[in-house]
Amino acid sequence: MPDSENKPLLVDIAARAGVSMATVDRVMNRRKGVADRTRRRVLEAARAVGYVGEAEAEHIGAARPMNVTVLLPSGTNPYLRLLGDRVRARVERSGVTDPFLRCYFIESFNAAALADALRKSAGWADAIAFFAIEHPEVRAAAAEVATQGTRLVTIVSNLGERAGISHVGLDNHAVGRTAGLLVGRLAGRDAGAVALVAGSRNYRAHSEREAGFLSLIDEMFPGLKLVGLREGHDDAAENYRHTLALLEQEPDLAGIYNVGGSSGGITRALRERGRENVVFVGHGLTADTRRALLDGTMDAVFDQDPDLLIDRAIRTLAEPDTRPAALKLDIYFRENLP
């Protein structure tokens, strides 16, 4: 080996391999974006100039775990915060052969911000799991990133079949019908009003749940009138204000289905107005919905296990030719809380 004064540098490797310094840096740091043939040439040059030994070159050249970025909406939605916490916990306990995970929260309902995050994440990530907003800007960014070789999977909410991107989540139309069945049966009334609160129709998951709910109510409980969908943007304060308005405007309100998250705002309004008799079904088993089930303000909570969701997303990214089946829907009542 040369002495310290003549120790070979990255520039020596670049010159011998006939590549740029940036390419050498990517290879030596096991980053993405280098063809296998070029990677081998750089490692051969690194050995030849004495920068690395045989064993180290083999380690650098070995197949590395995927770099995976998870993009989630920011805001007050407790379930999405829980999902982010589970991703970070997975990072802390990951082993040397597990994927490298990063998790970022993107401004909720901002299609331009999500599209920008997809493009920026593709610089590091081999694969991206993201909570999709159904919007042309997001579809264009996803198509661009996929064409460049980054694997994609949508979680919870997808971009639709025509996007050609695998999805991990629930059968949301069936979920909405199940919610309609529960609200109608538990209300036990031939007449009255039912209301929907959603994050945004720009989330395909929310629009599909809405459609399923409406179809079931129309088929089985025609005496229940829908009083319109309110978009609360998964914000507890907005959901609180919407619920107060509903209770004021609809004295015969029989039930509420929160299609999205942040049910705490709805339960707060129901408690303040003494309207725990209103059937309330929502999503995401978190600390606030657990309390609401226990005190009777909520009747049922639909859940998709966050750890299973992450596991299935990573497996789908690792095996891009497979098409994942819909996740199992967990339904919790006060009496079967885990």
Side-chain angles (χ1 to χ4, degrees), residues 67-84:
N67 292 339
V68 179
T69 293
V70 180
L71 301 176
L72 299 174
S74 62
T76 63
N77 187 330
Y79 178 80
L80 293 179
R81 288 182 174 180
L82 174 63
L83 189 57

Side-chain angles (χ1 to χ4, degrees), residues 176-233:
R177 287 184 62 84
T178 305
L181 181 64
L182 276 176
V183 169
R185 291 289 191 195
L186 292 174
R189 294 164 53 176
D190 295 328
V194 291
L196 286 165
V197 177
S200 170
R201 286 189 175 97
N202 287 333
Y203 286 153
R204 190 178 183 90
H206 293 192
S207 63
E208 289 178 348
R209 292 170 190 171
E210 175 192 359
F213 182 89
L214 294 177
S215 66
L216 191 288
I217 293 293
D218 185 58
E219 291 170 22
M220 295 188 63
F221 307 102
L224 296 177
K225 67 170 183 175
L226 184 75
V227 295
L229 181 139
R230 288 156 171 80
E231 293 190 350
H233 301 101

